[in-house]
Amino acid sequence: MFFLAMGVAVGAEKDANGETPEAFVKRWVESFNYNNGTKMLAFYDRAEDLEVLVSLGKRFRGYREWSEILRADVAMLRFSGLKAQSLAVRTLGDTALASFEHPFEVREKKSGKGLFQAHIRITMTLRKIEGLWSIVLEHSSPILGIEFRKPLD
């Protein structure tokens, strides 16, 4: 009752489809296992102020730029074994902050050669846009004490 009196609806963390931020993040992680750029990009805000900062120190700004980069990666690389470990989410009205460890493998699509196994931390800012959760900021970084990129094969 206290939350209703404060003007915050109970269950506000769910979007128009009834999805929580936790479920949204888990679906985003799973989408990378399909190696389908269209499925992956469906989770991102289509605005030009979208920001993606990857663990290699590169920054991509705007949906257009990020979609070109992600589609190019998917054309050349195969991602597998993606997981969201130690997922923590804090919901603040129509915004949610998520962080988790993200291990995965990357292979060349053409040859199948294993390039590396990555283990990074991802922090995301989600926002309800037109009633549905969307990623508006994604940041990944190495984790102290864990090898960031371990060679495969």
Side-chain angles (χ1 to χ4, degrees):
M1 281 295 183
F2 178 73
F3 291 112
L4 290 175
M6 298 280 297
V8 178
V10 174
E13 69 277 353
K14 290 185 179 178
D15 67 11
N17 288 335
E19 187 169 50
T20 63
E22 291 88 347
F24 176 88
V25 169
K26 289 176 183 176
R27 247 182 357 100
W28 173 83
V29 169
E30 184 61 29
S31 77
F32 275 75
N33 287 315
Y34 292 108
N35 290 280
N36 178 312
T38 302
K39 283 186 180 191
M40 296 169 175
L41 287 166
F43 292 86
Y44 293 89
D45 178 18
R46 293 183 173 266
E48 289 310 306
D49 59 354
L50 167 71
E51 282 203 57
V52 178
L53 302 123
V54 298
S55 50
L56 296 172
K58 294 183 180 178
R59 173 185 178 203
F60 303 102
R61 187 149 172 85
Y63 181 83
R64 184 177 304 124
E65 181 179 24
W66 178 237
S67 66
E68 290 170 5
I69 295 298
L70 188 58
R71 287 183 194 280
D73 280 355
V74 170
M76 296 183 306
L77 306 171
R78 175 162 304 283
F79 302 95
S80 64
L82 287 93
K83 299 175 186 162
Q85 298 175 336
S86 305
L87 174 61
V89 176
R90 182 173 179 200
T91 305
L92 307 161
D94 285 348
T95 302
L97 309 173
S99 67
F100 54 96
E101 290 186 30
H102 191 52
F104 60 95
E105 289 186 1
V106 179
R107 296 183 175 276
E108 286 182 348
K109 209 173 236 184
K110 195 172 191 177
S111 69
K113 179 182 181 223
L115 297 177
F116 59 89
Q117 179 179 13
H119 193 143
I120 56 178
R121 180 178 328 281
I122 292 189
T123 305
M124 289 180 168
T125 302
L126 310 177
R127 183 155 184 210
K128 278 190 202 171
I129 298 173
E130 296 180 13
L132 300 175
W133 291 114
S134 289
I135 300 167
V136 295
L137 173 70
E138 175 188 332
H139 179 260
S140 60
S141 57
I143 303 169
L144 187 63
I146 296 177
E147 191 172 357
F148 164 56
R149 292 176 77 168
K150 190 181 332 179
L152 290 174
D153 297 347

